[in-house]
Amino acid sequence: MDDQNKKPEEQQGFTYDQEKRDDPYADVRRESEPYTFGPFGPSQSFGAGEQSNLEPHRTEVIPSSPPREYRPFTVSGGAARSDWGAKPPRRASFRAMFAAFLVGVVAVGGLMFAADRQNWFSSEMLGGNSQVQDTSVKPASNPVNNTSDTVRPNNIAKIFELSSPAVVKIETYASAQQQDNGSGILGDDFFRQFFGDDFGGNGGNGGNGGNGGSGGGSDLQPSGMGSGFIFDSTGYILTNQHVIAGASEIKVTIEGHEKPFTAKLLGSSFELDLAVLKIEGSNFPTLKLGDSSSLNMGDWVVAIGNPYGFEHTVTVGVLSSNERKISIPDSNGTRNYEHLLQTDASINPGNSGGPLLNLQGEVIGINTAVSSQAQGIGFAIPASTITDVLQNLKSNTKIPQKPVPFIGATLMDMSADIAKRLGIDETIKGAFVREVLFNTPAYKADLRQYDVITGMDGTNYKTKEDLIAAIQKKAVGDKVSLDILRGDKKIQVSVEIGDRNEYQTQTK
């Protein structure tokens, strides 16, 4: 039989009977979907009478293979197609898919909102025992409220409107001689990086100072500028002590008044850096002192002041900490601050003495210091410290203070440059005496400017911090022996430890 008269299955090298023997379902498969597995991949189907352009796949017949039984199966995805040109299944429309997506978003969003509002996943709703607490975790003193408003509060403008009239600008004036005497420490970069106020310069008025302090005499020159706020309608003002330190005259500018007021200093505290002023008048706008202990880290705070002379500038930030300690050297010693509030609300020179407010418009701190070497690190004296001593400051009565041991010298760390200028060995370590304050224990003991203190009581101290810490561990009245390098001579100076508080009282 020639190839043209052969059946298709015989042309491919096997007979129908042989195919049926190998595949019991050949009849069913042949009638429903004729196909072969060609060399180019998946099944290819051809209708009756169609001629395939592909070369038939030659299948080798292995007679020794035993008959196999096939389990019936169906193709997933619908009925089999019997022709080559059948249309593909219709895809879902984009509109239908998008609508389904929106429905899902709305449904999930609604469930999330309901769960948050109804507190579905709290310990009580989940069957937890609310009375059982983890004793290893210290509970927060001020529980934080979780509200749906996570953006900046929208009442800042109202806080500023109500609080701003009570914030005042303070300008100080001193004689040129006083400024010259204090220019050494007031020009110290370390001192200015914290306070930043315009001490010993032209202040914020470009050197005018209102014709020598507006009636205070032509010899008075602007010496500083800061802020404050009225806490009593009869004219009591609270500010920082360092804002008015060394001032011969104090001028206070209040919003709505054409001329500045001359203020009287009632009481001040160097240790706490607080001062109370009094101006004549009545019915002044006031600010209320709040509770600084009720604050949480991250709470919003508002600062109002006069940075660089820009009156009534408002800045907003959050509370970063309520227990910071810093030390700042001053012409009268070192100010040791404790329990300070830290905030990232912008504080600049001139903000000192201004209020730090909560969202209720209450004063929770007095803006005091800022690190100019960083961004967003400002400090404020907490209201809790203010309320404890406010009456003492108003009545100018002494505030009880613990003794602060000191000798009365302004010190610096030794450096190769200082040693070179002094003509001594550049490797010498110790504390360089920059200034000796008048009538202090160091002054009485004949400690001199430009001395180098290398040790105390036989112990060497390489830095001023180490020496100051050792002095502060002594009791008031103790006598110590300082190892001094004066020029090329080594001497010892006996000093009696004094109380810095007493010295400040005497110099007022």
Side-chain angles (χ1 to χ4, degrees):
M1 182 182 298
D2 55 5
D3 293 342
Q4 295 182 353
N5 296 329
K6 289 182 181 181
K7 295 181 181 180
E9 62 271 14
E10 294 177 354
Q11 294 179 11
Q12 297 180 11
F14 56 89
T15 63
Y16 174 73
D17 293 338
Q18 185 179 5
E19 178 185 3
K20 187 173 182 181
R21 184 174 62 253
D22 293 339
D23 185 3
Y25 299 95
D27 292 339
V28 178
R29 195 186 313 279
R30 181 181 298 275
E31 294 177 1
S32 62
E33 186 177 4
Y35 67 92
T36 61
F37 290 99
F40 298 100
S43 62
Q44 312 283 341
S45 62
F46 300 89
E50 292 183 2
Q51 186 72 26
S52 172
N53 294 327
L54 301 178
E55 181 181 355
H57 177 62
R58 301 297 181 179
T59 305
E60 182 180 0
V61 179
I62 304 177
S64 61
S65 300
R68 292 179 296 177
E69 295 184 1
Y70 291 86
R71 300 177 64 181
F73 66 91
T74 59
V75 179
S76 63
R81 298 189 301 274
S82 60
D83 62 307
W84 178 264
K87 296 182 178 180
R90 183 177 181 182
R91 297 180 180 178
S93 67
F94 174 76
R95 292 183 178 180
M97 290 190 293
F98 185 70
F101 173 74
L102 290 180
V103 170
V105 170
V106 173
V108 173
L111 289 173
M112 292 176 64
F113 179 78
D116 181 63
R117 300 292 291 181
Q118 301 297 326
N119 205 18
W120 287 356
F121 299 103
S122 64
S123 59
E124 292 83 359
M125 297 296 293
L126 295 176
N129 186 357
S130 60
Q131 296 181 352
V132 177
Q133 298 182 354
D134 185 2
T135 57
S136 64
V137 180
K138 184 179 179 180
S141 58
N142 307 302
V144 179
N145 295 323
N146 183 20
T147 62
S148 58
D149 184 11
T150 59
V151 298
R152 176 173 291 191
N154 58 6
N155 64 333
I156 301 299
K158 194 65 177 179
I159 293 175
F160 178 75
E161 178 186 358
L162 298 177
S163 304
S164 180
V167 180
V168 302
K169 180 172 71 172
I170 299 175
E171 297 172 288
T172 59
Y173 300 87
S175 64
Q177 183 179 1
Q178 286 177 302
Q179 295 188 55
D180 291 340
N181 290 339
S183 61
I185 186 65
L186 297 180
D188 193 306
D189 292 336
F190 185 77
F191 178 82
R192 297 175 71 88
Q193 76 167 324
F194 283 98
F195 291 141
D197 302 283
D198 297 322
F199 289 102
N202 292 330
N205 296 334
N208 292 331
N211 295 324
S214 301
S218 59
D219 61 331
L220 293 180
Q221 300 295 329
S223 59
M225 182 180 62
S227 304
F229 65 92
I230 306 172
F231 66 92
D232 189 303
S233 61
T234 58
Y236 287 90
I237 299 172
L238 194 59
T239 186
N240 285 131
Q241 189 272 341
H242 78 259
V243 171
I244 51 85
S248 299
E249 187 175 68
I250 304 171
K251 292 291 183 178
V252 174
T253 302
I254 302 177
E255 185 178 15
H257 295 264
E258 295 182 0
K259 296 182 179 181
F261 293 81
T262 300
K264 178 183 178 182
L265 175 61
L266 295 184
S268 64
S269 170
F270 176 91
E271 182 71 22
L272 300 177
D273 198 7
L274 296 173
V276 170
L277 311 178
K278 178 68 170 65
I279 58 176
E280 297 300 326
S282 60
N283 298 324
F284 291 109
T286 63
L287 289 177
K288 178 183 177 182
L289 289 174
D291 182 10
S292 58
S293 63
S294 64
L295 297 172
N296 292 291
M297 303 308 100
D299 282 353
W300 289 102
V301 291
V302 181
I304 303 177
N306 306 288
Y308 291 106
F310 294 101
E311 299 180 12
H312 296 88
T313 295
V314 58
T315 56
V316 180
V318 297
L319 184 70
S320 303
S321 175
N322 58 2
E323 282 294 332
R324 295 301 191 199
K325 294 182 180 181
I326 62 174
S327 296
I328 304 176
D330 197 348
S331 59
N332 294 324
T334 300
R335 298 178 188 266
N336 297 306
Y337 297 90
E338 296 181 351
H339 314 298
L340 292 181
L341 306 178
Q342 180 185 331
T343 177
D344 68 342
S346 297
I347 298 175
N348 294 285
N351 272 114
S352 290
L356 187 68
L357 308 167
N358 59 18
L359 294 185
Q360 287 72 46
E362 299 171 334
V363 179
I364 47 89
I366 294 181
N367 302 319
T368 299
V370 61
S371 177
S372 62
Q373 296 180 346
Q375 294 182 1
I377 300 181
F379 302 97
I381 299 172
S384 58
T385 299
I386 300 170
T387 54
D388 291 341
V389 299
L390 189 57
Q391 292 302 320
N392 298 81
L393 295 174
K394 287 180 64 176
S395 60
N396 196 22
T397 57
K398 184 178 179 180
I399 299 173
Q401 295 175 335
K402 63 180 180 180
V404 181
F406 92 132
I407 61 173
T410 303
L411 305 177
M412 293 178 59
D413 284 333
M414 277 294 296
S415 65
D417 183 62
I418 295 177
K420 183 177 180 181
R421 291 174 180 270
L422 295 177
I424 61 177
D425 188 355
E426 296 182 4
T427 62
I428 292 178
K429 300 297 183 181
F432 172 69
V433 179
R434 177 174 178 173
E435 183 182 9
V436 177
L437 304 180
F438 176 74
N439 207 30
T440 60
Y443 179 86
K444 296 176 181 178
D446 196 29
L447 184 68
R448 300 178 185 179
Q449 189 180 31
Y450 308 136
D451 282 348
V452 178
I453 305 175
T454 59
M456 182 177 71
D457 293 336
T459 302
N460 294 330
Y461 296 98
K462 296 182 179 181
T463 65
K464 67 173 184 179
E465 287 79 10
D466 294 340
L467 178 61
I468 292 174
I471 292 174
Q472 292 178 345
K473 291 179 181 179
K474 299 292 183 178
V476 175
D478 288 350
K479 290 185 178 182
V480 297
S481 178
L482 299 179
D483 299 324
I484 304 296
L485 181 61
R486 182 174 295 169
D488 57 353
K489 298 180 180 179
K490 294 182 179 180
I491 62 175
Q492 290 186 333
V493 176
S494 180
V495 181
E496 181 178 340
I497 302 297
D499 184 0
R500 187 176 64 191
N501 298 323
E502 294 294 334
Y503 171 76
Q504 292 163 1
T505 302
Q506 297 171 3
T507 55
K508 285 184 179 179

